[in-house]
Amino acid sequence: MNRRGDIGALLERFGRGEVAAAARLISVLEDGGDEAERVLDAIFPGTGGAWRIGFTGPPGAGKSSLVHRVTGRMRARGHRIGIIAVDPTSPFTGGALLGDRIRMQSLSADPEVFVRSLASRGSLGGISNCTDETADLLDAFGKDIVLIETVGVGQSELEIAEKAHTVVVVLVPESGDGIQAMKAGLMEIGDVFVMNKADHEQAVGAAAELEETLRLKDVPDGAWVPRVVLASAREDTGIEDLVAVMVEHRRHLEERGLMEKMRRRILRARVRNAIMDRMERRLRESPSVRAVLERRMEAVYRGEASPYRVVRELEELVTIR
Amino acid sequence: MARKVRVLIAKPGLDGHDRGAKVVANALKDAGMEVIYTGLHQTPEMIAESAVQEDVDVVGLSILSGAHMTMFPRVLGLLREKGAADMLVFGGGIIPAEDVEELEKLGVARIFGPGTDTGDIVSFIRDRFPAN
Ligand SMILES: Nc1nc2c(ncn2[C@@H]2O[C@H](COP(=O)(O)OP(=O)(O)O)[C@@H](O)[C@H]2O)c(=O)[nH]1
Ligand SMILES: [Mg+2]
């Protein structure tokens, strides 16, 4: 029993499709620890069905507005949608202002759409450590599409490529955006590029320029060729095209068995990361490891032992069978 | 990891002024809370559904339009229906004293009048979630 309620009871209500229970379980996952692992153990067999789509790009590009429009179209096709909107936690106060719902208002009237705002919390980039787990939960809750919105700054946008089957990069015609995107590595990860705010006059030119840039990229034979779509979330234009291209990308993956391949690659990376995290924590928290460090650092400071010498001594303490 | 207080700030009704709501949202953020701001023109149904999906600890409604006697009870009722009766609900706006009393009886934890120091709202929430 924690202050969120009894986990077993929550899981049972979750199984009955209760939204409040699903929401509370996401909070348990966010809090981490043993209870989070218990929840993940329980729901994991129900995952794997959802198409995970990342939306990334600079702040203000219109990601939330597009997610809102795309969700409308996907709902009309009968899909059940989960949305994860990640915004940065302030490194100074630990607080966060999560405003993506402002652009998704009408969705909160649709019970088949589940929107969850996450703060990035302890993670360095713009993505929450708990993004995969939240996507798992929505997946197991029966959502067949999970849209993940993250701010593309620094290196965090590269992480979205490890979480999503299809990555949509949202850009705007504002000057320098294209260059910024290249610098930030967005050009490497996009399967679909949206030039949003097509209601601005520079949009057509900017989209053409983007096409040019993308054409310079080497694409191996038979691989997906990234596409550019002009859209305006405000005027609701180009959204059909966007959805069509996204669906095409998914079909491309499925027809070549790449969806399953990608699923395995993503899971492998998750397991590897989870092992590393766990091992690191155990090392950091181990009193005997700490004792060696404390004792031997003096020798390193004095130049009597090299850093690697200390590592070897530590390795003798740690048995990995 | 330590728990974070999550707060939903909503602006129900038809009036288009959300400066007050934004000031409060920012103050709570600066106090280290995670604040979900939903924007203008929210119906009670939208507010309750958002609060449930976001699993917030606290719901703050900013009301200037005079519809408080219908808005608050409906949000409280919907939260109960959706299995989130334990959320703390507070409000801000110009609300007559007798209505304030009535609303507090119905389950609104506190009404903050115009000109409230945002620090008071921060400590009101902190007092109830001392772990944060
Ligand atoms: N002119 C124009 N404005 C847009 C369009 N899409 C979004 N916006 C506006 O751009 C701002 C940021 O949008 P938002 O969806 O919150 O961007 P995000 O930060 O990428 O999620 C808001 O004021 C939107 O109304 C568009 O297609 N055209
Ligand atoms: Mg956004």
Side-chain angles (χ1 to χ4, degrees):
Chain A
M1 190 82 182
N2 73 3
R3 61 181 286 197
R4 307 227 179 255
D6 173 66
I7 302 287
L10 280 175
L11 283 167
E12 198 196 303
R13 287 166 57 203
F14 173 81
R16 288 201 302 266
E18 214 184 289
V19 173
R24 219 142 268 200
L25 287 174
I26 294 175
S27 302
V28 174
L29 292 174
E30 271 202 289
D31 291 346
D34 293 348
E35 287 185 327
E37 289 185 18
R38 183 174 160 209
V39 171
L40 210 56
D41 287 348
I43 62 144
F44 199 75
T47 65
W51 178 20
R52 300 183 186 198
I53 306 171
F55 277 75
T56 192
K63 298 178 294 296
S64 301
S65 310
L66 280 170
V67 163
H68 173 226
R69 294 293 190 193
V70 166
T71 299
R73 297 304 195 289
M74 299 289 199
R75 284 292 294 136
R77 293 167 181 229
H79 292 291
R80 294 172 307 279
I81 314 285
I83 298 172
I84 303 172
V86 191
D87 282 308
T89 291
S90 157
F92 304 108
T93 64
L97 194 57
L98 312 170
D100 298 302
R101 273 182 179 268
I102 300 171
R103 310 279 162 229
M104 306 182 187
Q105 286 213 10
S106 66
L107 299 181
S108 35
D110 180 351
E112 290 297 333
V113 179
F114 190 123
V115 183
R116 182 60 171 244
S117 311
L118 295 180
S120 57
R121 295 201 182 173
S123 96
L124 286 176
I127 200 154
S128 158
N129 285 329
C130 187
T131 306
D132 288 317
E133 288 73 15
T134 302
D136 286 342
L137 194 112
L138 293 173
D139 185 342
F141 197 52
K143 303 302 182 192
D144 61 343
I145 296 181
V146 176
L147 303 171
I148 306 169
E149 176 188 336
T150 62
V151 181
V153 287
Q155 278 144 30
S156 62
E157 71 277 355
L158 302 180
E159 283 177 42
I160 193 67
E162 281 186 6
K163 301 179 188 305
H165 306 115
T166 300
V167 176
V168 179
V169 172
V170 182
L171 300 170
V172 276
E174 263 86 86
S175 60
D177 216 34
I179 298 161
Q180 203 187 315
M182 292 212 303
K183 268 206 299 209
L186 288 173
M187 302 308 266
E188 302 304 319
I189 60 158
D191 301 305
V192 182
F193 291 81
V194 185
M195 188 55 71
N196 188 39
K197 308 200 183 179
D199 48 296
H200 289 183
E201 52 183 273
Q202 318 94 302
V204 176
E209 211 172 292
L210 183 61
E211 295 248 22
E212 279 301 316
T213 316
L214 284 171
R215 219 169 298 149
L216 297 174
K217 262 183 61 175
D218 272 331
V219 179
D221 271 352
W224 171 259
V225 182
R227 299 271 288 277
V228 177
V229 180
L230 252 178
S232 166
R234 172 167 295 173
E235 319 245 280
D236 201 13
T237 58
I239 310 298
E240 290 295 343
D241 291 347
L242 171 57
V243 171
V245 172
M246 288 161 62
V247 169
E248 220 178 290
H249 180 251
R250 178 186 184 163
R251 194 170 311 130
H252 171 95
L253 294 177
E254 273 168 350
E255 282 170 1
R256 287 160 184 79
L258 295 174
M259 197 78 165
E260 178 58 19
K261 217 169 147 183
M262 189 183 278
R263 203 180 75 84
R264 290 179 177 214
R265 201 193 64 214
I266 290 172
L267 287 174
R268 189 169 274 277
R270 278 182 69 183
V271 171
R272 196 182 50 227
N273 290 340
I275 292 172
M276 295 307 169
D277 285 352
R278 177 66 52 94
M279 291 301 157
E280 191 194 322
R281 203 181 72 212
R282 286 188 59 184
L283 282 175
R284 217 174 331 109
E285 289 170 359
S286 152
S288 47
V289 169
R290 276 194 191 175
V292 169
L293 274 183
E294 226 133 271
R295 187 159 46 77
R296 296 295 286 151
M297 279 316 291
E298 259 327 299
V300 176
Y301 297 147
R302 285 196 301 267
E304 291 161 15
S306 83
Y308 294 99
R309 164 108 204 205
V310 179
V311 173
R312 285 196 301 277
E313 288 171 17
L314 275 176
E315 271 179 325
E316 277 163 30
L317 269 179
V318 182
T319 351
I320 297 176
R321 282 175 294 271
Chain B
M1 181 188 266
R3 275 218 44 207
K4 283 267 170 212
V5 185
R6 286 169 65 86
V7 186
L8 184 102
I9 299 290
K11 182 81 188 71
L14 297 175
D15 69 278
H17 306 281
D18 64 346
R19 254 201 48 197
K22 281 181 175 160
V23 167
V24 171
N26 271 303
L28 299 180
K29 175 208 163 186
D30 290 342
M33 301 175 197
E34 291 180 358
V35 184
I36 293 113
Y37 182 61
T38 61
L40 294 164
H41 310 313
Q42 301 284 295
T43 64
E45 179 61 46
M46 287 157 84
I47 293 167
E49 186 63 25
S50 301
V52 167
Q53 292 182 1
E54 299 287 358
D55 188 32
V56 291
D57 307 287
V58 184
V59 179
L61 305 184
S62 155
I63 304 191
L64 296 171
S65 61
H68 51 270
M69 291 314 280
T70 51
M71 214 45 96
F72 280 104
R74 291 219 37 216
V75 170
L76 286 167
L78 285 163
L79 286 176
R80 261 194 299 276
E81 252 173 55
K82 292 172 188 285
D86 52 349
M87 285 177 192
L88 185 75
V89 177
F90 77 91
I94 309 163
I95 296 175
E98 65 266 29
D99 289 355
V100 170
E101 205 174 301
E102 178 76 27
L103 288 173
E104 288 179 349
K105 252 184 242 155
L106 288 170
V108 178
R110 180 79 68 82
I111 300 284
F112 295 95
T116 300
D117 184 344
T118 53
D120 292 347
I121 303 178
V122 169
S123 32
F124 160 78
I125 296 176
R126 279 216 179 117
D127 285 349
R128 281 155 185 82
F129 299 93
N132 296 271

